[in-house]
């Protein structure tokens, strides 16, 4: 599966700062000092209804991570998956009377278009769950053969008790885990499971549903969590720098995935930091497909909204915060974009060296994009009052905003 084209990232004078970022597993900020190649895995879409503003906010957060690392002169090895076979996708295809493969391809293509428009830097590896199945099957077999998985009526489940570190990603108690498992694709009430929280690794073939050769597992399809584990281990290995996604993935997805990987390899932890973006709401509720309260990037683009304004609307909120999309949020972003473009269109202006360092400092401290935007606002305000005669300043600001915030002025 291919990703989308990369926009050019301008080189800036000086040196970027290393990132301190909030780690869900420890509950605090952790310093990340990768080697020459920083490693990032972000969980991708289930392509049955893309791309709403919640998606965009999540991928915007991890795009900032990439830009901070690139500014330190590191390479970034970024991997993202596509869950291109899953119950919600199959249910949507059946509801609409369309082929599930065609639906997945259509929505993935739209997602690529949206990411391109928003200037999100693409992953080096963009992998669909279906194409990863040949690598998933041996992992499930290894877990079963090691006694970390068991058969239940032809399905194969992972035993969470096989990982002594289980629970250390989300830091939730058993009652909270059980509740979230039921809400987020698990089956804690299924009879016969050794532990209600045990997740499925391999689902035996069901009538009317797609299935693949599972070798000794029999025909079927993989569970959700093992898909990302297989892709991450194949392309990044253990101990990569950031495992990222929305806050609703901390449990069960990232918790279970970490346990799968840790039992498979005998190493801990799977990732140095587990980083989670907040939820975006609309009309008083979390934006979600089940509620139908979605604002789509593609719809805004069709209505003529500049993608740079959409990106500024996302950047106006700290990535870990939960917030609500409103018409005013978008209007504020449009107005900000107009002010910034007017400011950099002049032939000279206030020196921009300090501004570049302010943006770098803000982003290095847990991706504080609102503080970075405020710094640019202050420079633009000084520009309005004729606050300088540096002929290179507008160009420096334009390049810095592009390189570090992904906004083309």
């Amino acid at each position: 599966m291919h990703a989308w084209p990369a926009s050019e990232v301008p080189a800036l004078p000086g040196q970027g700062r290393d990132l301190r970022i909030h780690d869900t597993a420890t509950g605090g900020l952790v310093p990340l000092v990768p080697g020459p190649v920083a490693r990032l895995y972000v969980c991708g879409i289930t392509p049955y209804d893309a791309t709403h503003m919640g998606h965009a906010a999540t991928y915007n957060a991890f795009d900032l991570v990439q830009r901070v690392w690139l500014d330190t002169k590191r390479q970034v090895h970024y991997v993202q998956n596509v869950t291109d076979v899953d119950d919600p996708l199959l249910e949507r295809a059946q509801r609409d009377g369309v082929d599930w493969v065609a639906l997945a391809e259509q929505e993935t293509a739209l997602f690529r278009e949206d990411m391109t428009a928003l200037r999100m830097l693409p992953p080096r590896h963009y992998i669909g769950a279906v194409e990863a199945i040949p690598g998933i099957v041996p992992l499930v077999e290894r877990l079963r053969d090691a006694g970390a998985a068991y058969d239940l009526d032809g399905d194969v489940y992972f035993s969470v008790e096989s990982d002594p570190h289980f629970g250390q990603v989300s830091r939730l108690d058993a009652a909270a885990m059980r509740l979230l498992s039921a809400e987020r694709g698990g089956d804690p009430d299924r009879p016969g499971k050794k532990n209600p929280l045990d997740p499925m690794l391999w689902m035996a073939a069901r009538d009317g549903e797609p299935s693949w050769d599972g070798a000794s597992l029999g025909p079927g399809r993989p569970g959700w969590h093992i898909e990302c584990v297989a892709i991450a281990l194949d392309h990044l290995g253990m101990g990569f720098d950031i495992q990222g996604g929305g806050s609703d993935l901390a449990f069960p997805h990232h918790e279970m995935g970490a346990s799968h990987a840790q039992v498979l390899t005998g190493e801990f932890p799977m990732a140095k930091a587990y980083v989670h973006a907040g939820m975006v709401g609309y009309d008083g509720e979390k934006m979600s497909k089940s509620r139908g309260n979605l604002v789509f990037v593609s719809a805004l683009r069709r209505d003529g909204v500049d993608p740079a304004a959409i990106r500024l609307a996302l950047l106006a909120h700290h990535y870990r915060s939960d917030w609500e999309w409103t018409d005013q949020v978008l209007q504020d972003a449009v107005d900000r974009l107009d002010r910034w473009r007017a400011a950099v269109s002049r032939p000279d202006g206030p020196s921009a060296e300090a501004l570049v360092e302010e943006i770098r400092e803000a982003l290095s401290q847990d991706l504080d994009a609102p503080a970075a935007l405020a710094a640019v606002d202050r420079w633009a305000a000084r520009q309005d009052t004729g606050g300088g005669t540096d002929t290179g300043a507008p160009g420096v600001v334009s390049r810095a905003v592009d390189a570090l915030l992904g906004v083309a002025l």
Side-chain angles (χ1 to χ4, degrees), residues 354-404:
L355 171 60
V356 173
E357 298 309 314
E358 283 187 80
I359 298 172
R360 282 174 164 154
E361 178 63 19
L363 294 181
S364 73
Q365 299 301 315
D366 201 27
L367 304 177
D368 191 351
L373 267 57
V376 182
D377 285 341
R378 290 192 293 272
W379 182 89
R382 292 196 299 273
Q383 175 73 305
D384 284 345
T385 59
T389 58
D390 184 340
T391 57
V396 171
V397 173
S398 184
R399 289 192 295 275
V401 167
D402 188 351
L404 299 174

Side-chain angles (χ1 to χ4, degrees), residues 36-105:
V37 179
R39 295 176 293 163
L40 169 67
Y41 187 96
V42 180
C43 295
I45 60 167
T46 301
Y48 65 100
D49 219 352
T51 314
H52 61 66
M53 298 310 301
H55 291 137
T58 294
Y59 299 115
N60 182 71
F62 297 102
D63 188 74
L64 292 180
V65 169
Q66 290 192 80
R67 292 173 183 277
V68 169
W69 279 337
L70 290 170
D71 190 41
T72 65
K73 309 303 187 284
R74 291 181 173 93
Q75 298 179 49
V76 180
H77 191 167
Y78 173 28
V79 179
Q80 188 181 134
N81 73 300
V82 182
T83 306
D84 55 353
V85 59
D86 199 13
D87 288 343
L89 173 65
L90 301 177
E91 290 164 3
R92 163 74 185 275
Q94 183 177 32
R95 185 199 75 182
D96 293 353
V98 298
D99 177 69
W100 67 272
V101 174
L103 175 61
E105 291 176 348

Side-chain angles (χ1 to χ4, degrees), residues 106-125:
Q106 169 191 307
E107 295 298 329
T108 303
L110 180 57
F111 178 74
R112 291 189 189 99
E113 292 173 9
D114 290 335
M115 293 297 99
T116 302
L118 292 174
R119 299 175 67 80
M120 304 290 185
L121 299 175
R124 182 185 298 185
H125 297 288

Side-chain angles (χ1 to χ4, degrees), residues 8-20:
E8 183 178 353
V9 179
L12 300 177
Q15 180 67 32
R17 289 165 168 74
D18 284 327
L19 179 62
R20 298 177 73 242

